[in-house]
Amino acid sequence: MKNDGPMDHLDDWEESLADRYPAGDSLPVPGSSGAGDAFRDYSQNVRPGIREFYRLNHRHQTVDFVEAKKRQYLPLRTKRMGVWEAMEFLNTLVDESDPDADFSQIEHLLQTAEAIRHDGHPRWFILTGLVHDLGKILCLFGEPQWAVVGDTFPVGCAFSDKVVFPEFFAENPDKQTPEYQTACGIYSEGCGLDEVQLSWGHDEYMYHVAKDYLPAEALAMIRYHSCYAIHREGGYTHLLNERDRQLLKWVRAFNAYDLYSKGDERPDVRTLRPYYEELVAEYFPPVLDW
């Protein structure tokens, strides 16, 4: 399946993240230079398709848009299927005519999960690596790229310059709403991320699919793994509470596997499937609401 949009493939966004945050980089300290400089350099040298992707993303991700998508999808009535079925469904996003799209979505998910498993992490952590990107099936429900992937960020308050390409927020209609353009906006200082609306995409969607079945640490990994402005750039700290600060440590631990676990060696899906089917069954029912 060919996905229409400014990027040739959804994986282009993840490849751009690895360019922005090279493996081995230390996490930035809020208020320091270093990683932030690399971030700005990335913005200058990025491919045109990624720039156009973020222009659309920052233009259209408004409070009204996020609320509309939650009303549309969070009753979880679009489809019913099991986790492995969802992985096979996601596989149809691969454009088989593209010589660069070698790996199936299942293989990429297994690469992440296997890297986590190799390092001896808990079983729920391994499972999180397997399922964290399944929300990308939103593309198969007809959503455009900019409403599925991309860095996530709070809406309903002033946009931070820690978000990639902050200049594109000038086109966002919420910039004309004074209530949304103070530091806290519609929130209160220290309210916690559970009270904050993030831009819509696969993270938020998958969090709601999985929220009754996985521990809080896993759910934070799923919900915030694309929120680089917070967990890598130190933005929006005035909205965080102590629980957030503890959970974001797990998000950062997960991030290394999410960005850097993809390699040239294909996982053997047939051999690995029984292990992962057993792992899925340990936490999830046979059929989930999507």
Side-chain angles (χ1 to χ4, degrees):
M1 174 178 176
K2 181 71 173 178
N3 184 62
D4 292 334
M7 302 182 295
D8 290 335
H9 305 282
L10 292 188
D11 288 345
D12 289 353
W13 169 64
E14 293 185 349
E15 290 172 8
S16 79
L17 287 173
D19 290 339
R20 196 194 315 169
Y21 301 110
D25 274 6
S26 60
L27 292 174
V29 176
S32 70
S33 59
D37 293 338
F39 181 86
R40 287 187 291 274
D41 288 341
Y42 164 88
S43 298
Q44 295 300 316
N45 300 313
V46 71
R47 289 171 289 169
I50 298 294
R51 288 185 65 87
E52 176 61 11
F53 166 82
Y54 276 112
R55 188 188 71 78
L56 293 170
N57 175 277
H58 292 1
R59 162 66 177 80
H60 293 294
Q61 291 277 2
T62 64
V63 171
D64 286 348
F65 176 79
V66 170
E67 291 178 346
K69 288 303 167 185
K70 287 183 174 182
R71 288 193 298 270
Q72 179 179 356
Y73 285 110
L74 295 192
L76 300 178
R77 296 172 186 160
T78 305
K79 198 172 178 69
R80 283 180 55 80
M81 55 187 168
V83 167
W84 200 273
E85 185 182 356
M87 293 166 63
E88 292 176 328
F89 185 45
L90 186 61
N91 258 1
T92 63
L93 274 172
V94 174
D95 178 8
E96 295 180 355
S97 68
D98 180 4
D100 296 323
D102 267 347
F103 281 44
S104 70
Q105 295 294 320
I106 286 179
E107 287 172 323
H108 282 317
L109 293 172
L110 285 171
Q111 280 186 325
T112 303
E114 281 293 281
I116 295 168
R117 180 184 177 192
H118 178 270
D119 285 353
H121 289 295
R123 286 172 65 81
W124 61 260
F125 196 150
I126 301 168
L127 180 59
T128 304
L130 186 73
V131 305
H132 75 283
D133 271 348
L134 288 185
K136 290 179 181 178
I137 62 174
L138 286 168
C139 275
L140 296 166
F141 299 155
E143 294 300 318
Q145 291 174 349
W146 57 262
V148 178
V149 297
D151 292 33
T152 58
F153 48 85
V155 297
C157 61
F159 300 115
S160 171
D161 62 5
K162 300 294 187 181
V163 183
V164 65
F165 295 117
E167 65 270 23
F168 292 147
F169 287 122
E171 301 179 31
N172 189 300
D174 284 356
K175 289 284 284 188
Q176 308 307 314
T177 303
E179 182 185 12
Y180 299 156
Q181 292 310 306
T182 63
C184 288
I186 60 177
Y187 314 112
S188 58
E189 186 167 353
C191 63
L193 289 178
D194 279 345
E195 302 299 320
V196 174
Q197 294 210 75
L198 297 180
S199 53
W200 176 254
H202 73 285
D203 310 57
E204 183 71 12
Y205 175 61
M206 189 61 205
Y207 161 76
H208 284 276
V209 172
K211 69 178 183 179
D212 292 336
Y213 308 109
L214 294 176
E217 296 85 353
L219 295 175
M221 294 172 183
I222 291 170
R223 195 176 200 181
Y224 304 123
H225 71 271
S226 302
C227 199
Y228 289 88
I230 291 179
H231 71 72
R232 288 293 298 249
E233 296 300 322
Y236 299 102
T237 56
H238 57 288
L239 298 178
L240 306 183
N241 60 24
E242 183 56 32
R243 181 174 184 270
D244 296 329
R245 285 186 278 273
Q246 294 304 312
L247 289 175
L248 286 172
K249 294 177 183 178
W250 289 97
V251 178
R252 287 189 285 269
F254 174 76
N255 186 241
Y257 297 102
D258 189 25
L259 286 185
Y260 312 125
S261 62
K262 293 180 180 178
D264 296 330
E265 183 177 348
R266 316 185 80 106
D268 186 334
V269 177
R270 182 180 298 180
T271 300
L272 293 172
R273 181 167 178 166
Y275 170 84
Y276 282 100
E277 286 186 325
E278 179 183 348
L279 182 59
V280 166
E282 184 177 335
Y283 289 87
F284 289 111
V287 178
L288 291 170
D289 294 319
W290 298 79

